[in-house]
Amino acid sequence: MKKRLDREFFERDVLEVAARLPGKFLVRKYPDGRIEQFMITEVEAYRGEEDMACHASKGRTPRNQIMYERGGLLYIYLIYGIHWMLNIVTGKAGQPQAVLIRGLEGLNGPGRLTRRLDIDRAFLGEDLCRSESIWLTEGVNSFKIITAPRIGIDYAGEYWKNMPWRFFVEKTSG
DNA sequence: GTAAGGATTGGC
DNA sequence: CCAATCCTTACT
């Protein structure tokens, strides 16, 4: 198995982390010992209190406090009362940043992938650098990374809505 | 205590 | 296009 991504990787600025995530592998080990891994195909960066699309834009709350912790921890939240969102905290402690995992190979949609991987609130605060249930590893570098504006954040205003902070691997014909 | 809104999805 | 569905937050 490939080398697990370490603290140093996640403690960089969210834009650096997000740009490097497509092509990496997300590994999930279930309670029965079964292991699955998927290549990350699409992510979005949410960067600090100034980013009006970021959950930290209104300051620290009980919900987003994990975003202020050090990089490598998981930020999990429920959206529309239905879907669990899988986010990776990035940067040094005190910088509220996170990367939303929007797509895995063969699994499109942030809500659908968490359901498929059986990820919910129980993973809030899980440490990707130490967990025995979920972690990331080095991946493949053969993909071109495309950037585009983030999805579903009309409320954030034109400026933040247009930031090209979505990163995904170029579609392949096969 | 009440009310509004949402980093989505799936169905029409 | 539009509703489902319920937690978080911002009020009173």
Side-chain angles (χ1 to χ4, degrees):
Chain A
M1 191 159 296
K2 300 198 177 222
K3 181 177 180 292
R4 183 192 288 231
L5 298 184
D6 60 15
R7 188 77 60 203
E8 190 179 0
F9 178 89
F10 297 110
E11 285 196 325
R12 285 181 284 197
D13 185 86
V14 68
L15 295 179
E16 290 185 48
V17 177
R20 291 164 202 265
L21 281 180
K24 298 285 191 293
F25 287 104
L26 172 65
V27 184
R28 174 80 170 96
K29 183 175 182 180
Y30 298 94
D32 64 5
R34 195 164 41 91
I35 291 181
E36 291 183 318
Q37 62 176 7
F38 301 87
M39 189 181 77
I40 295 173
T41 55
E42 182 178 355
V43 303
E44 281 178 358
Y46 290 85
R47 188 170 186 268
E49 295 182 344
E50 65 174 12
D51 176 4
M52 293 307 289
C54 181
H55 283 174
S57 64
K58 290 169 185 166
R60 208 170 185 131
T61 68
R63 179 209 210 185
N64 68 28
Q65 69 87 20
I66 193 71
M67 296 181 79
Y68 290 78
E69 303 291 327
R70 65 180 175 174
L73 305 186
L74 293 186
Y75 169 40
I76 311 285
Y77 67 91
L78 188 66
I79 189 66
Y80 299 109
I82 307 172
H83 308 288
W84 293 103
M85 298 289 104
L86 171 60
N87 299 255
I88 301 171
V89 176
T90 68
K92 301 283 189 183
Q95 304 174 322
Q97 310 181 332
V99 176
L100 170 67
I101 306 299
R102 291 196 70 91
L104 300 175
E105 193 170 28
L107 300 174
N108 297 318
R112 295 178 67 187
L113 69 90
T114 53
R115 190 172 59 178
R116 171 66 178 74
L117 297 182
D118 197 20
I119 290 170
D120 60 18
R121 160 139 268 160
F123 285 77
L124 178 62
E126 192 81 2
D127 186 351
L128 290 177
C129 302
R130 297 172 179 276
S131 176
E132 292 303 317
S133 300
I134 184 170
W135 62 92
L136 302 192
T137 70
E138 292 294 343
V140 295
N141 299 309
S142 56
F143 288 92
K144 181 182 178 184
I145 307 300
I146 313 290
T147 62
R150 295 171 291 181
I151 292 175
I153 56 163
D154 290 356
Y155 60 84
E158 285 300 305
Y159 180 80
W160 294 104
K161 181 182 171 185
N162 291 329
M163 287 288 115
W165 289 356
R166 181 157 60 103
F167 302 82
F168 53 99
V169 297
E170 190 171 41
K171 281 183 185 172
T172 57
S173 55

